[in-house]
Amino acid sequence: MYTKTSKKKKVKKYSLQTVFWTNTWLKLHHLTDCAFCGDVMVNTLRATFTGSRVRRGTGSNGACHCSSALAGHDGSRVFPLLFFFSHPLHKEEALRVCDRAAAFRAQPASPERGRSRATMDVDQEAAGHPESRRVPETEAVEEDVFQEEAASCSVSPLHPETLEFPDTPTLCSPKEMLERRLVLLKGLVETEEVYLRELEALLMPMKVLRASAGTSQPALSCQQVRAVFYQVPEIRDMHQSFYSALKARLAEPPSPGEAAEVNFTGFDLMVGDLFLRMVNQIGLYGGFIGNYEEAVDVVRKCTHADPRFRTLAESMMSGNGANQTRTKYTLEALLYKPLDRVTKTTLMLHDLLKTTPEGHGDYASLQEALRLSRSFLSGVNERSQSKREVMLRHGARRRLMRDGFVVDAGEGERRLHHLFLYTDLLLCTRNKQATRGKQDQYRFCWYLPLAGLKLRWVADQELSPDARLRLHAIRTKMHLLRQQLQQHAVRFFCERGESIKSGGVYGQIESKRVCVKNGSRGLSAAARSRKKVEQMELMLLTHSPVYKLELHSPSGKSHTLLLSSLYELEEWRELIEKLTEDNIETVPPDLLTLTGACVKLRMTQQPPLHSTRAAEDHKSLCGTLSVAVHSACGLQRPASAYVCLEVDGYGFYDKQAKTHSSVQSRNPLWDQELCLQVDGAQDLRVICVGRSDSEDESVLGKASVKLDPTTLSKRCSRRTVHLGQVEVTLSLKYRPHPIEPPSATAPQSPVFCVPIEALAEKEGVLVPHVVRCCVEEVERRGMDEVGLYRVSGDSSDIGGLKNAFNGDLRDAVARMRRADVHVVSGVLKLFFRELPEPLMPTEMFQSLARALDIQDMDLRLVSMLSVLQSCPQPNRHTFLYLLRHLQRVSERQDVNRMSLMNLATVFGPSLLRTPSVVGHGLLGPTMNISQEVAVQVQVVFCYLQCNNLPEARTSLPHDADAEETTRL
């Protein structure tokens, strides 16, 4: 007899037969994620419970539905069990029922046993489910997923009870464990591929339904489309990234020296970081699960109400991979797939951890991933309990809508807190990190009811010099630590005579392998470096935010939150204002219970640290990303707008750049190139911000663009990004190179006293920004100024504005908006006067002087335009741009008293000069000062009199073939 002592100190005796059935159950449990789990489980159980032969049939999900073998042998007792395994929607319930059934089968036979309690539990839990239908054993090209599948979706797979399985016996050797681990990983890749095809099938009608929502007879409204497909694209992207990375890891060839260093296969296969990254994003499922009931309700109502939608919802197809067959689904059945998948992820992590040796580099990551996954499932159940227990006065339920890490600037000190947004209140907590294996804790900080809450955000707060020095010190330290991590990997691979990829975050991934190979010394050094990088990122996350979100409650309480991302701030603001508009009455919360449930309710597990993301090097950018922001259209009313760009990755450099503010317009124009130093960047966020008249700034639209280093080239790729109703045209160019240490000061880019060709090339335009900005500002508010361009501005103000343009264009434009208009006009004249080479090249002077001798006015203009056409492009287009502006100024000469001759007198000497040395040869006779000034004025005056001047281009022409459109 075999004896085992339970936790309750009771001795239970099992026969050898019991041990056999227990081991049978263990084998079935290990086959849960196998591609043929349905067939194996059902056939094995059939043989086990009925004593019949194992028969193999083909059902809609690979499980055998043939019930003829159940006739006799007391098959009616196990029929509900077979139905659970044949049904794809009740895997977790099936596991629990089979556990009890196996225990019941292991009991010794007794005439008095009859229908024992275990048997009754099995039948009772299966009660209410429809009988399994017999399916022909011939495969069909199109397989129907039966209607009952969606009808029984009300049984939640996220059961709060922990699955109590008998302990799995430890495999004999690490080699066997790793072989089993490899089988599990390959099976997971197959199931992930199937799941991705199902998600693609689910998303297929989304674009059609969204397009029809704007028609006169929509199948679904815009709000209903959002409800049905809520979080599905994000879940698809998360699993696509996980699937691609895992498949790539499994496809990596073994190292040349691997056989000599390890005596079993797969020891250097590292996948724990991939699972940990995926589990850190598992909060996406929280939003899907919370919205699931509403999505199903919309589908059912619209299916009954609209025949067109019914046809679509009941005939959705998904491909089956290489065999080119297709499976027919209902929309409701596909909506259930994510709920089924999230439980399988936890079970897979459980099995994967058991087949990973404790000394393996993946063990700690898989252990943490399993803890987070279990915590999430428990939180889902807790959240559903919270919804049922807390009912608001108007009938709605208190639900968690969003959570994340923000900086609380209360009491004059910055603290990183975890913010939870519910349907009726905002809760701020402080996260207390627990040691590995234990649960985190949250401490209450404050809460504000949403009813009557007022929001105000302030953009781009200026950091103090001390704060800038502190950030520079943190970034420098992070850069050194990153280099140390990469050196670990380089040193190890050089010893093995192998090559290593450079840049990105590849060093982090490889350092894990280095630690496994080089023992505890390498492990401790790399682990310490990674830990320090995380600490530096946390400090950077706390001290770098510059966007302020002020919250004011009707009760007089106010709190200030700081965020480093304008994109994220807008997401918080939009959701809070949407909830506030519903006039929600807050039910006084039990703060102790609500705070204690934060661990289980949270959707964001950790602060957004890039060092915890194991991004692949070939999928991220490391180098210089140049973004030329050209123009925007689609504004509802004229606004002074600017575009803000944000990138992810390590924070060695500023992760944000902004264009200058445009003049009031429905179609703002910038043509400004912004350069960002990036390391590990994968996403570019584009935000358009505008201000109309005296109103505060507001976000006009936002979107996110995926950055792919394989498609970005040194040549600019022009594309149009849709930010809701606003469209922004920009060009992207990427130049990979090793990252240099961060600099304490921003690089200076002088504008004055620089040749115009060099300046235009550096800015990527044909007309320099200083000329365009000054001209736009003068035309905005100075066209009626008496003596415009003739009256001089304050010399000190002109010098200050000149220095601003030599520093940062955005700050210079902001300063120019407040400056006197004569100061702005003085800066424009100063720019042309300080050019090393005049706008009209000196070699053109004599040609233009001879053209003045032509008596026929038409022939004179033809000759002068011919000379102008021979000038370099930046000179020609800048001159034409200025001429057009001066003609518009003279159109209001009855007010500003500036005629064409007056303007030519002001600008002639600045735009045209004689060569420094003029002889009596080809350049003609020497001129005195008065003659030179007369020629300068007459040349400019003749050009101003021309009514058919060519159009001036401000930006470089683009390649239409390379233009892309991104709708977001």
Side-chain angles (χ1 to χ4, degrees):
M1 303 291 289
Y2 172 77
T3 62
K4 177 181 178 181
T5 304
S6 68
K7 295 181 180 180
K8 296 182 179 181
K9 307 296 183 183
K10 294 181 180 180
V11 178
K12 294 184 179 180
K13 296 182 179 181
Y14 295 111
S15 64
L16 292 176
Q17 183 185 18
T18 305
V19 176
F20 169 76
W21 293 118
T22 304
N23 288 336
T24 301
W25 164 245
L26 291 174
K27 293 177 181 177
L28 294 175
H29 172 56
H30 279 299
L31 291 172
T32 302
D33 284 301
C34 176
F36 301 99
C37 60
D39 287 330
V40 174
M41 285 185 174
V42 172
N43 285 279
T44 306
L45 283 173
R46 176 177 296 155
T48 300
F49 283 91
T50 66
S52 63
R53 281 183 149 187
V54 176
R55 296 181 59 184
R56 192 177 188 85
T58 303
S60 61
N61 290 280
C64 179
H65 294 272
C66 180
S67 58
S68 61
L70 297 176
H73 301 287
D74 200 20
S76 59
R77 300 290 178 87
V78 297
F79 177 81
L81 184 62
L82 293 178
F83 174 76
F84 267 108
F85 273 109
S86 66
H87 205 294
L89 305 181
H90 307 96
K91 293 299 176 78
E92 187 170 347
E93 285 84 348
L95 294 177
R96 291 193 299 106
V97 174
C98 289
D99 192 13
R100 297 185 185 184
F104 167 69
R105 182 64 181 85
Q107 294 178 3
S110 171
E112 295 81 19
R113 183 178 68 181
R115 292 181 59 84
S116 67
R117 182 171 182 177
T119 310
M120 295 173 64
D121 287 345
V122 171
D123 293 338
Q124 184 177 1
E125 290 193 20
H129 293 281
E131 288 193 355
S132 176
R133 298 180 297 177
R134 181 179 180 86
V135 178
E137 297 188 4
T138 58
E139 289 191 6
V141 176
E142 294 187 357
E143 302 170 304
D144 292 333
V145 176
F146 42 89
Q147 300 286 343
E148 293 81 7
E149 178 177 285
S152 58
C153 288
S154 58
V155 183
S156 172
L158 308 172
H159 202 281
E161 298 179 7
T162 304
L163 301 181
E164 300 291 345
F165 302 120
D167 293 335
T168 305
T170 305
L171 299 179
C172 298
S173 66
K175 181 177 181 180
E176 294 181 8
M177 295 178 68
L178 291 171
E179 288 176 351
R180 176 62 187 163
R181 181 174 183 261
L182 191 59
V183 172
L184 287 175
L185 290 174
K186 290 181 178 179
L188 178 61
V189 170
E190 295 178 2
T191 58
E192 279 288 314
E193 186 176 359
V194 174
Y195 180 50
L196 284 172
R197 287 200 297 266
E198 292 170 343
L199 290 178
E200 291 293 346
L202 175 58
L203 289 172
M204 193 174 300
M206 182 178 68
K207 291 184 178 180
V208 178
L209 293 173
R210 185 178 293 172
S212 69
T215 62
S216 59
Q217 295 181 343
L220 295 180
S221 65
C222 293
Q223 184 177 1
Q224 288 174 329
V225 173
R226 286 194 296 267
V228 171
F229 300 101
Y230 183 69
Q231 294 286 32
V232 178
E234 290 80 3
I235 292 174
R236 187 270 315 274
D237 293 342
M238 177 184 73
H239 279 274
Q240 181 64 56
S241 175
F242 172 74
Y243 167 75
S244 301
L246 182 60
K247 188 176 181 180
R249 294 279 179 91
L250 292 176
E252 287 182 2
S255 306
E258 182 180 352
E261 298 185 16
V262 271
N263 54 4
F264 48 89
T265 60
F267 195 83
D268 65 338
L269 178 60
M270 309 293 290
V271 296
D273 58 303
L274 302 180
F275 282 94
L276 193 58
R277 180 175 59 177
M278 181 183 68
V279 172
N280 282 332
Q281 304 177 54
I282 203 171
L284 294 173
Y285 278 99
F288 177 86
I289 294 170
N291 181 74
Y292 175 74
E293 292 181 2
E294 181 181 354
V296 172
D297 185 58
V298 170
V299 170
R300 289 177 178 174
K301 287 181 179 179
C302 295
T303 301
H304 291 296
D306 193 335
R308 299 172 302 165
F309 183 77
R310 184 187 310 122
T311 303
L312 176 66
E314 294 179 354
S315 59
M316 301 182 67
M317 309 299 295
S318 172
N320 291 336
N323 58 9
Q324 297 183 351
T325 61
R326 303 181 70 193
T327 303
K328 186 176 180 180
Y329 293 92
T330 64
L331 179 57
E332 195 170 340
L334 286 174
L335 280 173
Y336 192 80
K337 295 297 181 180
L339 275 72
D340 184 42
R341 190 65 188 179
V342 71
T343 55
K344 282 187 176 181
T345 301
T346 304
L347 294 173
M348 183 62 191
L349 283 169
H350 179 271
D351 288 344
L352 198 59
L353 186 63
K354 287 187 175 182
T355 57
T356 302
E358 292 190 6
H360 196 278
D362 267 351
Y363 191 83
S365 298
L366 291 175
Q367 191 178 44
E368 179 68 7
L370 180 60
R371 183 187 72 81
L372 294 175
S373 181
R374 284 174 170 170
S375 175
F376 170 77
L377 292 181
S378 179
V380 170
N381 177 67
E382 180 73 20
R383 196 182 315 163
S384 63
Q385 293 291 337
S386 175
K387 291 180 193 176
R388 289 192 293 269
E389 294 172 358
V390 182
M391 294 293 293
L392 306 180
R393 293 175 185 173
H394 58 281
R397 295 174 176 177
R398 174 176 294 154
R399 299 173 55 188
L400 179 64
M401 307 301 294
R402 181 186 174 94
D403 70 306
F405 288 85
V406 299
V407 176
D408 189 356
E411 301 178 359
E413 186 177 356
R414 296 189 175 208
R415 298 179 183 274
L416 189 64
H417 287 165
H418 201 152
L419 193 66
F420 293 85
L421 175 61
Y422 292 89
T423 49
D424 64 327
L425 59 88
L426 197 62
L427 175 68
C428 184
T429 63
R430 179 166 57 89
N431 179 238
K432 182 180 179 182
Q433 292 286 343
T435 57
R436 188 176 294 276
K438 295 185 179 180
Q439 197 173 46
D440 295 345
Q441 295 181 354
Y442 282 92
R443 302 291 176 84
F444 171 78
C445 293
W446 51 264
Y447 92 96
L448 290 176
L450 294 186
L453 187 65
K454 301 297 182 183
L455 282 76
R456 178 177 177 269
W457 72 277
V458 182
D460 203 4
Q461 295 295 295
E462 188 69 25
L463 292 174
S464 64
D466 292 340
R468 291 187 178 277
L469 290 176
R470 182 186 303 173
L471 291 180
H472 174 66
I474 294 173
R475 288 168 173 167
T476 304
K477 181 66 174 177
M478 282 179 59
H479 187 268
L480 293 175
L481 292 171
R482 283 276 290 114
Q483 286 184 328
Q484 292 177 9
L485 283 173
Q486 291 180 349
Q487 287 172 2
H488 279 295
V490 172
R491 189 181 306 114
F492 168 70
F493 278 86
C494 288
E495 291 174 358
R496 297 182 59 179
E498 300 177 14
S499 61
I500 181 172
K501 299 178 181 179
S502 62
V505 293
Y506 190 83
Q508 285 189 13
I509 302 171
E510 294 302 328
S511 63
K512 298 181 181 179
R513 303 189 182 187
V514 174
C515 298
V516 174
K517 303 292 183 180
N518 289 356
S520 59
R521 184 175 180 180
L523 175 63
S524 59
R528 284 197 301 268
S529 297
R530 283 196 299 272
K531 188 67 176 177
K532 289 179 181 178
V533 171
E534 292 181 12
Q535 292 173 354
M536 293 295 104
E537 274 202 276
L538 278 175
M539 294 178 63
L540 197 64
L541 190 64
T542 304
H543 296 288
S544 62
V546 294
Y547 292 102
K548 183 186 296 185
L549 180 62
E550 298 176 354
L551 309 171
H552 302 283
S553 174
S555 62
K557 295 182 180 180
S558 298
H559 293 278
T560 300
L561 304 178
L562 297 176
L563 295 96
S564 56
S565 169
L566 179 58
Y567 191 95
E568 184 179 355
L569 182 144
E570 180 62 14
E571 288 182 330
W572 278 103
R573 190 196 62 79
E574 285 180 349
L575 189 53
I576 293 175
E577 287 192 347
K578 180 179 180 299
L579 295 173
T580 305
E581 291 172 357
D582 295 337
N583 297 320
I584 295 176
E585 296 184 24
T586 303
V587 175
D590 182 351
L591 296 178
L592 184 62
T593 303
L594 194 61
T595 306
C598 286
V599 174
K600 297 181 178 180
L601 294 176
R602 63 183 179 181
M603 294 181 283
T604 305
Q605 305 289 337
Q606 297 176 350
L609 304 181
H610 191 77
S611 55
T612 60
R613 294 174 48 192
E616 298 291 346
D617 176 65
H618 64 279
K619 294 183 179 178
S620 59
L621 272 60
C622 177
T624 300
L625 176 66
S626 301
V627 184
V629 183
H630 301 296
S631 60
C633 61
L635 277 66
Q636 298 299 309
R637 54 180 177 173
S640 175
Y642 66 88
V643 173
C644 176
L645 304 177
E646 297 177 352
V647 292
D648 56 349
Y650 286 98
F652 304 138
Y653 303 92
D654 289 334
K655 298 162 64 174
Q656 194 176 87
K658 300 176 182 177
T659 66
H660 64 85
S661 297
S662 70
V663 295
Q664 294 275 343
S665 173
R666 289 179 181 267
N667 302 297
L669 180 67
W670 298 283
D671 279 327
Q672 184 177 351
E673 185 173 8
L674 305 174
C675 294
L676 295 162
Q677 301 296 316
V678 295
D679 185 10
Q682 293 181 317
D683 295 286
L684 172 68
R685 292 172 170 179
V686 184
I687 309 103
C688 185
V689 183
R691 172 185 291 173
S692 298
D693 300 329
S694 60
E695 297 180 1
D696 292 335
E697 290 185 349
S698 61
V699 175
L700 306 178
K702 57 183 176 62
S704 180
V705 179
K706 205 71 177 176
L707 297 176
D708 186 359
T710 59
T711 59
L712 295 176
S713 60
K714 294 183 180 179
R715 183 174 61 86
C716 283
S717 173
R718 193 179 180 103
R719 63 180 67 186
T720 301
V721 182
H722 292 253
L723 289 68
Q725 294 182 342
V726 179
E727 297 181 3
V728 174
T729 303
L730 47 82
S731 300
L732 299 178
K733 181 172 64 176
Y734 168 58
R735 181 171 61 88
H737 60 80
I739 290 297
E740 299 178 356
S743 175
T745 58
Q748 295 293 322
S749 54
V751 171
F752 286 74
C753 303
V754 177
I756 193 168
E757 288 185 79
L759 180 60
E761 182 180 1
K762 183 181 66 175
E763 294 181 350
V765 294
L766 293 176
V767 179
H769 292 305
V770 60
V771 176
R772 285 181 43 213
C773 291
C774 290
V775 166
E776 289 174 353
E777 188 66 16
V778 168
E779 292 188 355
R780 184 176 73 90
R781 58 187 177 96
M783 299 292 278
D784 293 338
E785 287 288 331
V786 177
L788 181 63
Y789 290 116
R790 188 179 67 236
V791 177
S792 299
D794 185 86
S795 59
S796 60
D797 292 342
I798 293 175
L801 190 54
K802 168 189 171 181
N803 294 332
F805 273 108
N806 279 328
D808 180 72
L809 178 61
R810 175 175 172 78
D811 293 340
V813 172
R815 185 169 180 172
M816 184 181 64
R817 296 281 189 261
R818 303 187 299 268
D820 182 73
V821 69
H822 294 296
V823 172
V824 178
S825 63
V827 169
L828 180 61
K829 292 186 295 182
L830 181 65
F831 171 78
F832 290 117
R833 189 162 59 246
E834 292 188 350
L835 285 175
E837 180 76 11
L839 189 60
M840 294 297 291
T842 54
E843 57 268 22
M844 305 293 181
F845 184 86
Q846 293 297 333
S847 300
L848 292 171
R850 287 193 294 268
L852 292 177
D853 296 334
I854 302 175
Q855 298 301 319
D856 188 279
M857 192 64 179
D858 294 335
L859 293 178
R860 180 192 302 175
L861 289 176
V862 169
S863 177
M864 296 181 70
L865 290 177
S866 176
V867 173
L868 180 60
Q869 192 65 29
S870 63
C871 294
Q873 278 199 23
N875 301 62
R876 182 171 72 254
H877 289 288
T878 303
F879 187 64
L880 290 172
Y881 185 83
L882 179 63
L883 292 177
R884 292 282 189 180
H885 165 64
L886 297 179
Q887 286 177 342
R888 288 191 291 270
V889 172
S890 68
E891 291 175 359
R892 302 186 63 82
Q893 59 179 317
D894 56 334
V895 179
N896 56 37
R897 307 301 181 190
M898 294 300 293
S899 63
L900 292 178
M901 179 56 72
N902 290 340
L903 293 170
T905 304
V906 171
F907 279 92
S910 300
L911 303 178
L912 187 64
R913 302 174 209 159
T914 60
S916 56
V917 178
V918 181
H920 292 278
L922 294 177
L923 294 179
T926 305
M927 290 186 179
N928 56 35
I929 296 298
S930 60
Q931 291 174 328
E932 180 182 343
V933 172
V935 171
Q936 292 168 341
V937 172
Q938 286 298 319
V939 168
V940 175
F941 180 67
C942 286
Y943 278 118
L944 288 174
Q945 286 181 308
C946 183
N947 295 323
N948 57 345
L949 287 172
E951 288 295 330
R953 292 206 313 266
T954 58
S955 58
L956 293 170
H958 68 277
D959 185 3
D961 296 335
E963 187 169 354
E964 302 176 12
T965 301
T966 305
R967 295 184 179 270
L968 297 158

